[in-house]
PDB file of all heavy atoms in Angstrom:
ATOM      1  N   SER A  15       0.187  19.732   6.489  1.00 96.00           N
ATOM      2  CA  SER A  15       1.602  19.825   6.147  1.00 96.00           C
ATOM      3  C   SER A  15       2.168  18.423   5.940  1.00 96.00           C
ATOM      4  O   SER A  15       1.552  17.410   6.310  1.00 96.00           O
ATOM      5  CB  SER A  15       2.364  20.534   7.262  1.00 96.00           C
ATOM      6  OG  SER A  15       2.309  19.776   8.460  1.00 96.00           O
ATOM      7  N   SER A  16       3.365  18.363   5.377  1.00 96.00           N
ATOM      8  CA  SER A  16       4.005  17.065   5.095  1.00 96.00           C
ATOM      9  C   SER A  16       4.180  16.197   6.345  1.00 96.00           C
ATOM     10  O   SER A  16       3.931  14.983   6.284  1.00 96.00           O
ATOM     11  CB  SER A  16       5.354  17.286   4.408  1.00 96.00           C
ATOM     12  OG  SER A  16       5.173  17.871   3.142  1.00 96.00           O
ATOM     13  N   PRO A  17       4.606  16.762   7.487  1.00 97.00           N
ATOM     14  CA  PRO A  17       4.735  15.908   8.675  1.00 97.00           C
ATOM     15  C   PRO A  17       3.409  15.283   9.108  1.00 97.00           C
ATOM     16  O   PRO A  17       3.376  14.116   9.517  1.00 97.00           O
ATOM     17  CB  PRO A  17       5.275  16.864   9.740  1.00 97.00           C
ATOM     18  CG  PRO A  17       5.982  17.921   8.962  1.00 97.00           C
ATOM     19  CD  PRO A  17       5.161  18.113   7.732  1.00 97.00           C
ATOM     20  N   TRP A  18       2.306  16.046   9.001  1.00 98.00           N
ATOM     21  CA  TRP A  18       1.013  15.475   9.367  1.00 98.00           C
ATOM     22  C   TRP A  18       0.617  14.380   8.394  1.00 98.00           C
ATOM     23  O   TRP A  18       0.075  13.332   8.791  1.00 98.00           O
ATOM     24  CB  TRP A  18      -0.062  16.552   9.415  1.00 98.00           C
ATOM     25  CG  TRP A  18      -0.022  17.439  10.623  1.00 98.00           C
ATOM     26  CD1 TRP A  18      -0.016  18.804  10.638  1.00 98.00           C
ATOM     27  CD2 TRP A  18       0.013  17.029  11.996  1.00 98.00           C
ATOM     28  NE1 TRP A  18       0.026  19.275  11.930  1.00 98.00           N
ATOM     29  CE2 TRP A  18       0.048  18.197  12.783  1.00 98.00           C
ATOM     30  CE3 TRP A  18       0.027  15.789  12.634  1.00 98.00           C
ATOM     31  CZ2 TRP A  18       0.093  18.168  14.177  1.00 98.00           C
ATOM     32  CZ3 TRP A  18       0.077  15.751  14.020  1.00 98.00           C
ATOM     33  CH2 TRP A  18       0.109  16.920  14.772  1.00 98.00           C
ATOM     34  N   ARG A  19       0.860  14.583   7.118  1.00 98.00           N
ATOM     35  CA  ARG A  19       0.515  13.560   6.134  1.00 98.00           C
ATOM     36  C   ARG A  19       1.288  12.269   6.388  1.00 98.00           C
ATOM     37  O   ARG A  19       0.728  11.176   6.335  1.00 98.00           O
ATOM     38  CB  ARG A  19       0.793  14.078   4.717  1.00 98.00           C
ATOM     39  CG  ARG A  19      -0.142  15.185   4.259  1.00 98.00           C
ATOM     40  CD  ARG A  19       0.139  15.576   2.824  1.00 98.00           C
ATOM     41  NE  ARG A  19      -0.746  16.640   2.353  1.00 98.00           N
ATOM     42  CZ  ARG A  19      -0.770  17.091   1.105  1.00 98.00           C
ATOM     43  NH1 ARG A  19       0.065  16.579   0.214  1.00 98.00           N
ATOM     44  NH2 ARG A  19      -1.607  18.046   0.762  1.00 98.00           N
ATOM     45  N   ALA A  20       2.587  12.417   6.681  1.00 98.00           N
ATOM     46  CA  ALA A  20       3.407  11.237   6.959  1.00 98.00           C
ATOM     47  C   ALA A  20       2.935  10.520   8.223  1.00 98.00           C
ATOM     48  O   ALA A  20       2.907   9.280   8.280  1.00 98.00           O
ATOM     49  CB  ALA A  20       4.879  11.638   7.089  1.00 98.00           C
ATOM     50  N   SER A  21       2.555  11.281   9.238  1.00 98.00           N
ATOM     51  CA  SER A  21       2.039  10.678  10.476  1.00 98.00           C
ATOM     52  C   SER A  21       0.763   9.904  10.208  1.00 98.00           C
ATOM     53  O   SER A  21       0.550   8.795  10.744  1.00 98.00           O
ATOM     54  CB  SER A  21       1.777  11.770  11.525  1.00 98.00           C
ATOM     55  OG  SER A  21       2.956  12.446  11.869  1.00 98.00           O
ATOM     56  N   LEU A  22      -0.105  10.470   9.368  1.00 98.00           N
ATOM     57  CA  LEU A  22      -1.353   9.790   9.024  1.00 98.00           C
ATOM     58  C   LEU A  22      -1.099   8.534   8.204  1.00 98.00           C
ATOM     59  O   LEU A  22      -1.795   7.527   8.363  1.00 98.00           O
ATOM     60  CB  LEU A  22      -2.271  10.743   8.265  1.00 98.00           C
ATOM     61  CG  LEU A  22      -2.940  11.822   9.121  1.00 98.00           C
ATOM     62  CD1 LEU A  22      -3.529  12.908   8.242  1.00 98.00           C
ATOM     63  CD2 LEU A  22      -4.028  11.204  10.001  1.00 98.00           C
ATOM     64  N   GLU A  23      -0.112   8.572   7.330  1.00 98.00           N
ATOM     65  CA  GLU A  23       0.256   7.373   6.575  1.00 98.00           C
ATOM     66  C   GLU A  23       0.636   6.240   7.528  1.00 98.00           C
ATOM     67  O   GLU A  23       0.240   5.082   7.343  1.00 98.00           O
ATOM     68  CB  GLU A  23       1.421   7.682   5.640  1.00 98.00           C
ATOM     69  CG  GLU A  23       1.058   8.548   4.446  1.00 98.00           C
ATOM     70  CD  GLU A  23       2.281   9.009   3.672  1.00 98.00           C
ATOM     71  OE1 GLU A  23       3.413   8.656   4.075  1.00 98.00           O
ATOM     72  OE2 GLU A  23       2.108   9.720   2.663  1.00 98.00           O
ATOM     73  N   GLU A  24       1.403   6.594   8.555  1.00 97.00           N
ATOM     74  CA  GLU A  24       1.819   5.586   9.534  1.00 97.00           C
ATOM     75  C   GLU A  24       0.630   5.075  10.348  1.00 97.00           C
ATOM     76  O   GLU A  24       0.529   3.880  10.629  1.00 97.00           O
ATOM     77  CB  GLU A  24       2.894   6.177  10.451  1.00 97.00           C
ATOM     78  CG  GLU A  24       4.213   6.471   9.764  1.00 97.00           C
ATOM     79  CD  GLU A  24       4.868   5.216   9.219  1.00 97.00           C
ATOM     80  OE1 GLU A  24       4.834   4.165   9.891  1.00 97.00           O
ATOM     81  OE2 GLU A  24       5.398   5.284   8.088  1.00 97.00           O
ATOM     82  N   ALA A  25      -0.267   5.983  10.726  1.00 98.00           N
ATOM     83  CA  ALA A  25      -1.445   5.564  11.492  1.00 98.00           C
ATOM     84  C   ALA A  25      -2.321   4.614  10.685  1.00 98.00           C
ATOM     85  O   ALA A  25      -2.833   3.613  11.210  1.00 98.00           O
ATOM     86  CB  ALA A  25      -2.252   6.796  11.912  1.00 98.00           C
ATOM     87  N   TRP A  26      -2.490   4.914   9.395  1.00 98.00           N
ATOM     88  CA  TRP A  26      -3.303   4.047   8.538  1.00 98.00           C
ATOM     89  C   TRP A  26      -2.632   2.688   8.336  1.00 98.00           C
ATOM     90  O   TRP A  26      -3.293   1.645   8.342  1.00 98.00           O
ATOM     91  CB  TRP A  26      -3.563   4.738   7.207  1.00 98.00           C
ATOM     92  CG  TRP A  26      -4.409   3.975   6.227  1.00 98.00           C
ATOM     93  CD1 TRP A  26      -4.095   3.674   4.940  1.00 98.00           C
ATOM     94  CD2 TRP A  26      -5.728   3.451   6.436  1.00 98.00           C
ATOM     95  NE1 TRP A  26      -5.117   2.993   4.336  1.00 98.00           N
ATOM     96  CE2 TRP A  26      -6.137   2.833   5.234  1.00 98.00           C
ATOM     97  CE3 TRP A  26      -6.581   3.429   7.533  1.00 98.00           C
ATOM     98  CZ2 TRP A  26      -7.380   2.203   5.089  1.00 98.00           C
ATOM     99  CZ3 TRP A  26      -7.824   2.804   7.400  1.00 98.00           C
ATOM    100  CH2 TRP A  26      -8.207   2.206   6.195  1.00 98.00           C
ATOM    101  N   SER A  27      -1.312   2.683   8.196  1.00 96.00           N
ATOM    102  CA  SER A  27      -0.583   1.418   8.089  1.00 96.00           C
ATOM    103  C   SER A  27      -0.773   0.572   9.341  1.00 96.00           C
ATOM    104  O   SER A  27      -0.929  -0.646   9.268  1.00 96.00           O
ATOM    105  CB  SER A  27       0.907   1.672   7.849  1.00 96.00           C
ATOM    106  OG  SER A  27       1.134   2.251   6.588  1.00 96.00           O
ATOM    107  N   ALA A  28      -0.752   1.250  10.499  1.00 95.00           N
ATOM    108  CA  ALA A  28      -0.960   0.535  11.761  1.00 95.00           C
ATOM    109  C   ALA A  28      -2.363  -0.068  11.810  1.00 95.00           C
ATOM    110  O   ALA A  28      -2.548  -1.225  12.201  1.00 95.00           O
ATOM    111  CB  ALA A  28      -0.741   1.476  12.934  1.00 95.00           C
ATOM    112  N   TYR A  29      -3.357   0.715  11.397  1.00 96.00           N
ATOM    113  CA  TYR A  29      -4.734   0.213  11.392  1.00 96.00           C
ATOM    114  C   TYR A  29      -4.851  -1.007  10.481  1.00 96.00           C
ATOM    115  O   TYR A  29      -5.431  -2.030  10.866  1.00 96.00           O
ATOM    116  CB  TYR A  29      -5.703   1.293  10.929  1.00 96.00           C
ATOM    117  CG  TYR A  29      -7.146   0.837  10.917  1.00 96.00           C
ATOM    118  CD1 TYR A  29      -7.959   1.025  12.034  1.00 96.00           C
ATOM    119  CD2 TYR A  29      -7.684   0.193   9.814  1.00 96.00           C
ATOM    120  CE1 TYR A  29      -9.271   0.574  12.038  1.00 96.00           C
ATOM    121  CE2 TYR A  29      -8.992  -0.261   9.809  1.00 96.00           C
ATOM    122  CZ  TYR A  29      -9.778  -0.070  10.923  1.00 96.00           C
ATOM    123  OH  TYR A  29     -11.078  -0.537  10.925  1.00 96.00           O
ATOM    124  N   CYS A  30      -4.305  -0.898   9.278  1.00 95.00           N
ATOM    125  CA  CYS A  30      -4.407  -1.988   8.309  1.00 95.00           C
ATOM    126  C   CYS A  30      -3.685  -3.250   8.780  1.00 95.00           C
ATOM    127  O   CYS A  30      -4.039  -4.365   8.378  1.00 95.00           O
ATOM    128  CB  CYS A  30      -3.849  -1.546   6.958  1.00 95.00           C
ATOM    129  SG  CYS A  30      -4.853  -0.269   6.134  1.00 95.00           S
ATOM    130  N   ALA A  31      -2.681  -3.072   9.662  1.00 93.00           N
ATOM    131  CA  ALA A  31      -1.938  -4.214  10.193  1.00 93.00           C
ATOM    132  C   ALA A  31      -2.591  -4.793  11.444  1.00 93.00           C
ATOM    133  O   ALA A  31      -2.093  -5.770  12.005  1.00 93.00           O
ATOM    134  CB  ALA A  31      -0.503  -3.798  10.513  1.00 93.00           C
ATOM    135  N   GLY A  32      -3.694  -4.175  11.886  1.00 92.00           N
ATOM    136  CA  GLY A  32      -4.387  -4.677  13.065  1.00 92.00           C
ATOM    137  C   GLY A  32      -3.858  -4.140  14.375  1.00 92.00           C
ATOM    138  O   GLY A  32      -4.223  -4.637  15.444  1.00 92.00           O
ATOM    139  N   SER A  33      -3.004  -3.121  14.298  1.00 93.00           N
ATOM    140  CA  SER A  33      -2.479  -2.505  15.513  1.00 93.00           C
ATOM    141  C   SER A  33      -3.240  -1.213  15.812  1.00 93.00           C
ATOM    142  O   SER A  33      -4.155  -0.833  15.083  1.00 93.00           O
ATOM    143  CB  SER A  33      -0.979  -2.211  15.355  1.00 93.00           C
ATOM    144  OG  SER A  33      -0.227  -3.419  15.442  1.00 93.00           O
ATOM    145  N   VAL A  34      -2.864  -0.531  16.880  1.00 95.00           N
ATOM    146  CA  VAL A  34      -3.524   0.708  17.275  1.00 95.00           C
ATOM    147  C   VAL A  34      -3.181   1.785  16.242  1.00 95.00           C
ATOM    148  O   VAL A  34      -2.004   1.987  15.926  1.00 95.00           O
ATOM    149  CB  VAL A  34      -3.068   1.151  18.678  1.00 95.00           C
ATOM    150  CG1 VAL A  34      -3.786   2.434  19.101  1.00 95.00           C
ATOM    151  CG2 VAL A  34      -3.342   0.030  19.686  1.00 95.00           C
ATOM    152  N   PRO A  35      -4.180   2.493  15.679  1.00 97.00           N
ATOM    153  CA  PRO A  35      -3.926   3.440  14.588  1.00 97.00           C
ATOM    154  C   PRO A  35      -3.323   4.770  15.023  1.00 97.00           C
ATOM    155  O   PRO A  35      -3.977   5.814  15.021  1.00 97.00           O
ATOM    156  CB  PRO A  35      -5.313   3.631  13.975  1.00 97.00           C
ATOM    157  CG  PRO A  35      -6.250   3.437  15.121  1.00 97.00           C
ATOM    158  CD  PRO A  35      -5.620   2.352  15.949  1.00 97.00           C
ATOM    159  N   ILE A  36      -2.064   4.718  15.395  1.00 98.00           N
ATOM    160  CA  ILE A  36      -1.322   5.920  15.776  1.00 98.00           C
ATOM    161  C   ILE A  36      -0.017   5.933  14.992  1.00 98.00           C
ATOM    162  O   ILE A  36       0.666   4.906  14.897  1.00 98.00           O
ATOM    163  CB  ILE A  36      -1.048   5.965  17.288  1.00 98.00           C
ATOM    164  CG1 ILE A  36      -2.371   6.006  18.060  1.00 98.00           C
ATOM    165  CG2 ILE A  36      -0.182   7.168  17.655  1.00 98.00           C
ATOM    166  CD1 ILE A  36      -2.212   5.954  19.568  1.00 98.00           C
ATOM    167  N   GLY A  37       0.319   7.097  14.420  1.00 98.00           N
ATOM    168  CA  GLY A  37       1.560   7.249  13.678  1.00 98.00           C
ATOM    169  C   GLY A  37       2.297   8.480  14.137  1.00 98.00           C
ATOM    170  O   GLY A  37       1.696   9.436  14.639  1.00 98.00           O
ATOM    171  N   ALA A  38       3.617   8.475  13.972  1.00 98.00           N
ATOM    172  CA  ALA A  38       4.439   9.602  14.410  1.00 98.00           C
ATOM    173  C   ALA A  38       5.643   9.762  13.499  1.00 98.00           C
ATOM    174  O   ALA A  38       6.110   8.780  12.894  1.00 98.00           O
ATOM    175  CB  ALA A  38       4.903   9.396  15.849  1.00 98.00           C
ATOM    176  N   VAL A  39       6.123  10.987  13.402  1.00 98.00           N
ATOM    177  CA  VAL A  39       7.347  11.261  12.638  1.00 98.00           C
ATOM    178  C   VAL A  39       8.177  12.290  13.387  1.00 98.00           C
ATOM    179  O   VAL A  39       7.656  13.054  14.210  1.00 98.00           O
ATOM    180  CB  VAL A  39       7.046  11.787  11.214  1.00 98.00           C
ATOM    181  CG1 VAL A  39       6.220  10.784  10.421  1.00 98.00           C
ATOM    182  CG2 VAL A  39       6.358  13.146  11.253  1.00 98.00           C
ATOM    183  N   VAL A  40       9.466  12.314  13.075  1.00 98.00           N
ATOM    184  CA  VAL A  40      10.367  13.338  13.600  1.00 98.00           C
ATOM    185  C   VAL A  40      10.933  14.106  12.413  1.00 98.00           C
ATOM    186  O   VAL A  40      11.373  13.491  11.424  1.00 98.00           O
ATOM    187  CB  VAL A  40      11.516  12.724  14.427  1.00 98.00           C
ATOM    188  CG1 VAL A  40      12.445  13.833  14.935  1.00 98.00           C
ATOM    189  CG2 VAL A  40      10.974  11.915  15.600  1.00 98.00           C
ATOM    190  N   VAL A  41      10.897  15.433  12.495  1.00 97.00           N
ATOM    191  CA  VAL A  41      11.448  16.283  11.434  1.00 97.00           C
ATOM    192  C   VAL A  41      12.475  17.229  12.038  1.00 97.00           C
ATOM    193  O   VAL A  41      12.471  17.483  13.249  1.00 97.00           O
ATOM    194  CB  VAL A  41      10.336  17.091  10.727  1.00 97.00           C
ATOM    195  CG1 VAL A  41       9.294  16.169  10.122  1.00 97.00           C
ATOM    196  CG2 VAL A  41       9.678  18.084  11.688  1.00 97.00           C
ATOM    197  N   ASP A  42      13.357  17.759  11.171  1.00 93.00           N
ATOM    198  CA  ASP A  42      14.331  18.730  11.662  1.00 93.00           C
ATOM    199  C   ASP A  42      13.727  20.133  11.635  1.00 93.00           C
ATOM    200  O   ASP A  42      12.537  20.301  11.337  1.00 93.00           O
ATOM    201  CB  ASP A  42      15.636  18.658  10.857  1.00 93.00           C
ATOM    202  CG  ASP A  42      15.474  19.066   9.391  1.00 93.00           C
ATOM    203  OD1 ASP A  42      14.436  19.668   9.027  1.00 93.00           O
ATOM    204  OD2 ASP A  42      16.398  18.779   8.602  1.00 93.00           O
ATOM    205  N   GLY A  43      14.539  21.123  11.931  1.00 89.00           N
ATOM    206  CA  GLY A  43      14.034  22.490  12.025  1.00 89.00           C
ATOM    207  C   GLY A  43      13.500  23.053  10.723  1.00 89.00           C
ATOM    208  O   GLY A  43      12.718  24.009  10.728  1.00 89.00           O
ATOM    209  N   GLN A  44      13.886  22.448   9.583  1.00 89.00           N
ATOM    210  CA  GLN A  44      13.400  22.893   8.278  1.00 89.00           C
ATOM    211  C   GLN A  44      12.228  22.041   7.779  1.00 89.00           C
ATOM    212  O   GLN A  44      11.770  22.198   6.659  1.00 89.00           O
ATOM    213  CB  GLN A  44      14.535  22.850   7.246  1.00 89.00           C
ATOM    214  CG  GLN A  44      15.587  23.936   7.412  1.00 89.00           C
ATOM    215  CD  GLN A  44      16.442  23.734   8.653  1.00 89.00           C
ATOM    216  OE1 GLN A  44      16.972  22.647   8.874  1.00 89.00           O
ATOM    217  NE2 GLN A  44      16.543  24.765   9.475  1.00 89.00           N
ATOM    218  N   GLY A  45      11.779  21.121   8.637  1.00 90.00           N
ATOM    219  CA  GLY A  45      10.657  20.271   8.265  1.00 90.00           C
ATOM    220  C   GLY A  45      11.036  19.029   7.488  1.00 90.00           C
ATOM    221  O   GLY A  45      10.159  18.303   7.000  1.00 90.00           O
ATOM    222  N   LYS A  46      12.335  18.747   7.360  1.00 93.00           N
ATOM    223  CA  LYS A  46      12.784  17.550   6.651  1.00 93.00           C
ATOM    224  C   LYS A  46      12.503  16.307   7.488  1.00 93.00           C
ATOM    225  O   LYS A  46      12.836  16.253   8.672  1.00 93.00           O
ATOM    226  CB  LYS A  46      14.279  17.646   6.353  1.00 93.00           C
ATOM    227  CG  LYS A  46      14.849  16.421   5.651  1.00 93.00           C
ATOM    228  CD  LYS A  46      16.352  16.532   5.477  1.00 93.00           C
ATOM    229  CE  LYS A  46      16.934  15.264   4.854  1.00 93.00           C
ATOM    230  NZ  LYS A  46      18.413  15.352   4.713  1.00 93.00           N
ATOM    231  N   LEU A  47      11.900  15.316   6.873  1.00 96.00           N
ATOM    232  CA  LEU A  47      11.565  14.075   7.576  1.00 96.00           C
ATOM    233  C   LEU A  47      12.832  13.302   7.907  1.00 96.00           C
ATOM    234  O   LEU A  47      13.636  12.990   7.028  1.00 96.00           O
ATOM    235  CB  LEU A  47      10.636  13.222   6.706  1.00 96.00           C
ATOM    236  CG  LEU A  47      10.117  11.927   7.328  1.00 96.00           C
ATOM    237  CD1 LEU A  47       9.201  12.223   8.505  1.00 96.00           C
ATOM    238  CD2 LEU A  47       9.373  11.101   6.280  1.00 96.00           C
ATOM    239  N   LEU A  48      13.014  13.000   9.197  1.00 97.00           N
ATOM    240  CA  LEU A  48      14.188  12.267   9.655  1.00 97.00           C
ATOM    241  C   LEU A  48      13.880  10.827  10.026  1.00 97.00           C
ATOM    242  O   LEU A  48      14.706   9.938   9.842  1.00 97.00           O
ATOM    243  CB  LEU A  48      14.806  12.975  10.863  1.00 97.00           C
ATOM    244  CG  LEU A  48      15.294  14.400  10.639  1.00 97.00           C
ATOM    245  CD1 LEU A  48      15.791  14.988  11.956  1.00 97.00           C
ATOM    246  CD2 LEU A  48      16.406  14.440   9.591  1.00 97.00           C
ATOM    247  N   SER A  49      12.686  10.602  10.564  1.00 96.00           N
ATOM    248  CA  SER A  49      12.315   9.240  10.966  1.00 96.00           C
ATOM    249  C   SER A  49      10.809   9.144  11.091  1.00 96.00           C
ATOM    250  O   SER A  49      10.115  10.159  11.204  1.00 96.00           O
ATOM    251  CB  SER A  49      12.983   8.837  12.285  1.00 96.00           C
ATOM    252  OG  SER A  49      12.508   9.643  13.355  1.00 96.00           O
ATOM    253  N   ARG A  50      10.311   7.935  11.071  1.00 95.00           N
ATOM    254  CA  ARG A  50       8.879   7.724  11.212  1.00 95.00           C
ATOM    255  C   ARG A  50       8.644   6.420  11.970  1.00 95.00           C
ATOM    256  O   ARG A  50       9.499   5.534  12.016  1.00 95.00           O
ATOM    257  CB  ARG A  50       8.182   7.702   9.850  1.00 95.00           C
ATOM    258  CG  ARG A  50       8.762   6.756   8.841  1.00 95.00           C
ATOM    259  CD  ARG A  50       8.414   7.180   7.405  1.00 95.00           C
ATOM    260  NE  ARG A  50       6.986   7.198   7.168  1.00 95.00           N
ATOM    261  CZ  ARG A  50       6.405   7.852   6.159  1.00 95.00           C
ATOM    262  NH1 ARG A  50       7.151   8.552   5.306  1.00 95.00           N
ATOM    263  NH2 ARG A  50       5.109   7.820   5.982  1.00 95.00           N
ATOM    264  N   GLY A  51       7.489   6.326  12.604  1.00 95.00           N
ATOM    265  CA  GLY A  51       7.175   5.122  13.370  1.00 95.00           C
ATOM    266  C   GLY A  51       5.675   4.988  13.518  1.00 95.00           C
ATOM    267  O   GLY A  51       4.931   5.956  13.355  1.00 95.00           O
ATOM    268  N   ARG A  52       5.245   3.783  13.816  1.00 95.00           N
ATOM    269  CA  ARG A  52       3.824   3.533  14.047  1.00 95.00           C
ATOM    270  C   ARG A  52       3.654   2.512  15.145  1.00 95.00           C
ATOM    271  O   ARG A  52       4.609   1.815  15.524  1.00 95.00           O
ATOM    272  CB  ARG A  52       3.140   3.056  12.775  1.00 95.00           C
ATOM    273  CG  ARG A  52       3.637   1.725  12.213  1.00 95.00           C
ATOM    274  CD  ARG A  52       2.767   1.345  11.028  1.00 95.00           C
ATOM    275  NE  ARG A  52       3.213   0.164  10.314  1.00 95.00           N
ATOM    276  CZ  ARG A  52       2.939  -1.086  10.669  1.00 95.00           C
ATOM    277  NH1 ARG A  52       2.261  -1.326  11.785  1.00 95.00           N
ATOM    278  NH2 ARG A  52       3.363  -2.103   9.948  1.00 95.00           N
ATOM    279  N   ASN A  53       2.460   2.457  15.663  1.00 95.00           N
ATOM    280  CA  ASN A  53       2.165   1.443  16.658  1.00 95.00           C
ATOM    281  C   ASN A  53       2.269   0.067  15.994  1.00 95.00           C
ATOM    282  O   ASN A  53       1.706  -0.157  14.922  1.00 95.00           O
ATOM    283  CB  ASN A  53       0.757   1.660  17.215  1.00 95.00           C
ATOM    284  CG  ASN A  53       0.460   0.741  18.384  1.00 95.00           C
ATOM    285  OD1 ASN A  53       0.269  -0.454  18.207  1.00 95.00           O
ATOM    286  ND2 ASN A  53       0.412   1.287  19.588  1.00 95.00           N
ATOM    287  N   ARG A  54       3.016  -0.816  16.615  1.00 93.00           N
ATOM    288  CA  ARG A  54       3.214  -2.177  16.101  1.00 93.00           C
ATOM    289  C   ARG A  54       2.878  -3.215  17.171  1.00 93.00           C
ATOM    290  O   ARG A  54       3.440  -4.304  17.187  1.00 93.00           O
ATOM    291  CB  ARG A  54       4.656  -2.361  15.629  1.00 93.00           C
ATOM    292  CG  ARG A  54       5.016  -1.535  14.387  1.00 93.00           C
ATOM    293  CD  ARG A  54       6.465  -1.717  13.999  1.00 93.00           C
ATOM    294  NE  ARG A  54       6.809  -0.975  12.786  1.00 93.00           N
ATOM    295  CZ  ARG A  54       6.734  -1.471  11.546  1.00 93.00           C
ATOM    296  NH1 ARG A  54       6.313  -2.721  11.368  1.00 93.00           N
ATOM    297  NH2 ARG A  54       7.068  -0.738  10.508  1.00 93.00           N
ATOM    298  N   ARG A  55       1.950  -2.861  18.033  1.00 89.00           N
ATOM    299  CA  ARG A  55       1.635  -3.743  19.160  1.00 89.00           C
ATOM    300  C   ARG A  55       1.214  -5.143  18.707  1.00 89.00           C
ATOM    301  O   ARG A  55       1.531  -6.135  19.351  1.00 89.00           O
ATOM    302  CB  ARG A  55       0.526  -3.110  20.005  1.00 89.00           C
ATOM    303  CG  ARG A  55       0.165  -3.923  21.233  1.00 89.00           C
ATOM    304  CD  ARG A  55      -0.785  -3.191  22.136  1.00 89.00           C
ATOM    305  NE  ARG A  55      -1.143  -3.995  23.287  1.00 89.00           N
ATOM    306  CZ  ARG A  55      -1.938  -3.591  24.268  1.00 89.00           C
ATOM    307  NH1 ARG A  55      -2.434  -2.359  24.235  1.00 89.00           N
ATOM    308  NH2 ARG A  55      -2.217  -4.381  25.281  1.00 89.00           N
TER     309      ARG A  55
END
């Protein structure tokens, strides 16, 4: 689903930046993407 794809995009960005490859997003009840974040250690 779209939320999983967005989370994976963030995880890959974290990996490419040398951080821990974890990504996360927040969606509303209809699945609309509201925010996203990744590990930036």
Side-chain angles (χ1 to χ4, degrees):
S15 64
S16 295
W18 284 128
R19 291 184 180 185
S21 298
L22 286 166
E23 288 171 0
E24 292 297 320
W26 181 234
S27 293
Y29 181 92
C30 292
S33 286
V34 181
I36 298 176
V39 301
V40 179
V41 301
D42 65 15
Q44 287 70 50
K46 178 184 176 182
L47 184 66
L48 299 176
S49 65
R50 53 203 299 161
R52 63 175 174 83
N53 187 287
R54 292 178 178 269
R55 182 172 179 178

